[in-house]
């Protein structure tokens, strides 16, 4: 009977213990589900930021460039300058062709052409009637030819008719961009370029310095391909980011030379010019580029295109896409977090910009306010 009593007691206590364990498990399950849900939302909403922050853990930095020292001083002969670089001097200069894809960078392109006009033999420029993301656009360069009349004898221009793009192209802007570059190759063939000429491949806002172009024209023995290291600026020449703009290249042209905007050699000429990204006169131009170029997927929210926000970002030196820096070490990442430091220096900038400072005040220190 006692045994039956104990068994009966157990039969009464077991459901109570089970309920207690179930209650405790449920209490632990609630915060777990909450934490998991918040984590999923955070990863979904901030995947890009998390990925960039952890980049030093998952990505390997590219192979370092071999930097060629760049020598220059006023009133030195080209013979002396070429000799300092370890190169000889040509008996007559090479021709230099400057090839760019153009979207809407009118002011920067005008500075580029004025700065390089005495040294470049042909300006080859291709413009499309739609952006890399498939948005129809006006032919901005063609509609403003009067601003470039001074260089008309050297300009080789063509328009690329995009027509009605496949809707998928909006999700593959880099493929559309590659099509633009192939079209520019065809334009180069019609420009009169020949084997032995120098071809500069760049975006419109990547400006080689006149000193660099003169080395390319006059020096014998320059590398057949080298990248040009450009000082990297954002919004204007007031915000100097770093020296890490390297995609511009100079080629001694051969029949196999193709227009590219990617790494093609380990050699890079130091301090060879300026890259001024998002250096526009009006707010609407910023918004247009944000939607138009290959990284348009970085516009995560409509508020990114708000004119007041864009103006605030420009004057604060913040990231226009609210992104973390793309760095390969935590040390570099932490150094670059936060606003770009302002610079009060307008020394060693394009000379045409300084000579016409009143027209380009928005690109100089203190000129962050934009109309529109």
């Amino acid at each position: 009977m006692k045994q039956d009593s104990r068994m009966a007691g157990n039969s009464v206590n077991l459901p109570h213990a089970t309920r207690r364990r179930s209650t405790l498990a449920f209490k632990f399950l609630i915060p777990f589900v909450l934490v998991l849900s918040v984590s999923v939302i955070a990863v979904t909403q901030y995947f890009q930021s998390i990925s960039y922050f952890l980049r030093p853990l998952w990505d390997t930095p590219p192979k370092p460039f071999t930097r060629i020292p760049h020598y220059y001083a006023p009133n030195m002969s080209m013979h002396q300058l070429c000799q300092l670089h370890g190169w000889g001097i040509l008996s007559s200069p090479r021709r230099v062709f400057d090839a760019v894809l153009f979207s809407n960078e009118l002011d920067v392109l005008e500075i580029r052409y004025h700065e390089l006009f005495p040294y470049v033999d042909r300006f080859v420029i291709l413009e499309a009637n739609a952006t890399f993301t498939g948005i129809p656009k006006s032919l901005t360069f063609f509609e403003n030819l009067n601003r470039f009349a001074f260089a008309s004898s050297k300009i080789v221009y063509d328009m690329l008719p995009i027509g009605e793009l496949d809707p998928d192209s909006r999700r593959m802007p880099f493929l559309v961009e590659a099509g633009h570059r192939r079209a520019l190759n065809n334009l180069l063939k019609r420009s009169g370029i020949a084997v032995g000429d120098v071809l500069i491949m760049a975006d419109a806002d990547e400006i080689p310095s006149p000193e660099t172009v003169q080395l390319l024209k006059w020096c014998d023995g320059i590398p057949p391909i080298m990248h040009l290291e450009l000082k990297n600026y954002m919004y204007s020449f007031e915000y100097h980011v770093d020296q890490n703009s390297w995609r511009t290249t100079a080629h001694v042209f051969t029949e196999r030379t193709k227009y590219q905007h990617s790494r093609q050699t380990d050699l890079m000429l130091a301090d060879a010019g300026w890259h001024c990204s998002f250096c526009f006169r009006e707010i609407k131009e910023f918004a247009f580029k944000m939607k138009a170029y290959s990284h348009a997927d970085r516009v995560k929210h409509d508020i990114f295109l708000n004119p007041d926000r864009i103006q605030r970002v420009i004057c604060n030196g913040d990231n226009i896409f609210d992104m973390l820096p793309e760095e390969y070490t935590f040390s570099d990442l932490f150094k670059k977090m936060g606003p770009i430091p302002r610079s009060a220096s307008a020394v060693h900038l394009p000379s045409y910009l300084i000579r016409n400072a009143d027209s380009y005040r928005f690109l100089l220190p203190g000129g962050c306010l934009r109309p529109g």
Side-chain angles (χ1 to χ4, degrees):
M1 293 296 294
K2 288 182 179 179
Q3 184 178 4
D4 292 342
S5 176
R6 286 196 298 272
M7 291 179 63
N10 286 339
S11 66
V12 172
N13 292 334
L14 185 60
H16 176 71
T18 302
R19 285 196 302 272
R20 186 177 180 185
R21 285 195 296 271
S22 297
T23 302
L24 288 173
F26 186 69
K27 287 181 178 178
F28 282 110
L29 183 62
I30 291 175
F32 174 77
V33 171
L34 287 174
V35 170
L36 181 62
S37 301
V38 171
S39 299
V40 169
I41 293 171
V43 170
T44 302
Q45 293 291 322
Y46 302 102
F47 174 78
Q48 190 176 62
S49 294
I50 294 170
S51 176
Y52 278 27
F53 183 77
L54 298 178
R55 187 168 193 163
L57 298 179
W58 59 262
D59 201 2
T60 302
K63 181 182 177 182
F65 285 99
T66 300
R67 298 169 79 242
I68 302 170
H70 189 170
Y71 299 92
Y72 175 75
N75 303 318
M76 288 185 67
S77 69
M78 287 310 304
H79 176 78
Q80 291 174 300
L81 289 171
C82 292
Q83 190 176 50
L84 279 172
H85 291 82
W87 301 326
I89 185 77
L90 295 169
S91 56
S92 59
R94 297 184 184 89
R95 295 191 304 170
V96 175
F97 286 63
D98 178 59
V100 301
L101 294 174
F102 179 79
S103 177
N104 67 325
E105 309 92 343
L106 269 177
D107 289 295
V108 171
L109 186 75
E110 187 174 41
I111 292 170
R112 179 195 193 96
Y113 279 11
H114 275 286
E115 192 76 3
L116 300 184
F117 180 78
Y119 316 104
V120 166
D121 296 270
R122 291 288 185 275
F123 293 106
V124 183
I125 180 168
L126 180 72
E127 177 177 32
N129 63 354
T131 70
F132 294 158
T133 52
I135 302 172
K137 63 177 286 291
S138 61
L139 299 176
T140 309
F141 180 83
F142 183 77
E143 292 170 359
N144 289 272
L145 281 175
N146 59 306
R147 291 178 61 171
F148 301 91
F150 71 93
S152 60
S153 62
K154 294 185 177 183
I155 292 174
V156 179
Y157 167 83
D158 200 4
M159 185 274 287
L160 176 64
I162 299 297
E164 192 66 32
L165 288 172
D166 186 312
D168 286 341
S169 66
R170 293 176 182 269
R171 295 191 292 272
M172 298 184 294
F174 285 102
L175 296 181
V176 178
E177 182 177 355
H180 283 63
R181 299 192 188 284
R182 287 193 296 271
L184 186 50
N185 281 326
N186 293 330
L187 182 59
L188 278 167
K189 292 177 182 177
R190 305 199 303 269
S191 71
I193 195 168
V195 172
D197 293 336
V198 167
L199 172 62
I200 297 171
M201 302 180 184
D203 282 349
D205 57 8
E206 298 167 339
I207 309 174
S209 67
E211 295 79 29
T212 297
V213 179
Q214 289 188 81
L215 290 177
L216 299 175
K217 283 185 76 74
W218 281 102
C219 295
D220 187 22
I222 63 174
I225 305 174
M226 61 179 169
H227 287 277
L228 304 181
E229 179 189 64
L230 308 181
K231 293 179 180 176
N232 207 11
Y233 295 88
M234 184 68 70
Y235 312 137
S236 73
F237 292 97
E238 183 172 15
Y239 296 103
H240 181 206
V241 180
D242 53 34
Q243 301 285 120
N244 294 337
S245 180
W246 54 265
R247 291 182 179 273
T248 298
T249 49
H251 296 244
V252 178
F253 188 79
T254 73
E255 293 178 350
R256 295 188 300 275
T257 303
K258 302 293 182 184
Y259 188 95
Q260 298 181 58
H261 200 239
S262 56
R263 184 158 178 167
Q264 298 166 66
T265 178
D266 293 336
L267 295 177
M268 180 167 66
L269 180 65
D271 198 6
W274 313 270
H275 179 193
C276 199
S277 186
F278 280 91
C279 289
F280 296 114
R281 185 182 295 268
E282 298 183 10
I283 295 292
K284 64 182 181 181
E285 296 173 283
F286 286 84
F288 176 81
K289 180 171 180 177
M290 291 171 72
K291 295 182 294 182
Y293 83 144
S294 300
H295 296 291
D297 60 312
R298 294 175 176 177
V299 182
K300 298 296 185 184
H301 309 285
D302 290 342
I303 189 65
F304 280 23
L305 302 174
N306 179 276
D308 292 335
R309 176 194 175 270
I310 293 174
Q311 180 62 84
R312 184 171 62 254
V313 164
I314 297 168
C315 285
N316 290 342
D318 292 326
N319 189 288
I320 201 162
F321 295 107
D322 196 21
M323 290 170 49
L324 289 173
E326 300 181 64
E327 298 299 334
Y328 296 96
T329 69
F330 285 116
S331 175
D332 290 339
L333 176 66
F334 293 139
K335 285 178 184 176
K336 285 195 175 181
M337 289 179 71
I340 307 167
R342 290 175 180 266
S343 170
S345 173
V347 179
H348 303 306
L349 297 181
S351 59
Y352 182 80
L353 168 66
I354 303 304
R355 290 196 302 269
N356 295 272
D358 289 343
S359 299
Y360 299 104
R361 183 61 60 187
F362 67 100
L363 292 178
L364 296 169
C368 73
L369 294 178
R370 304 294 205 273

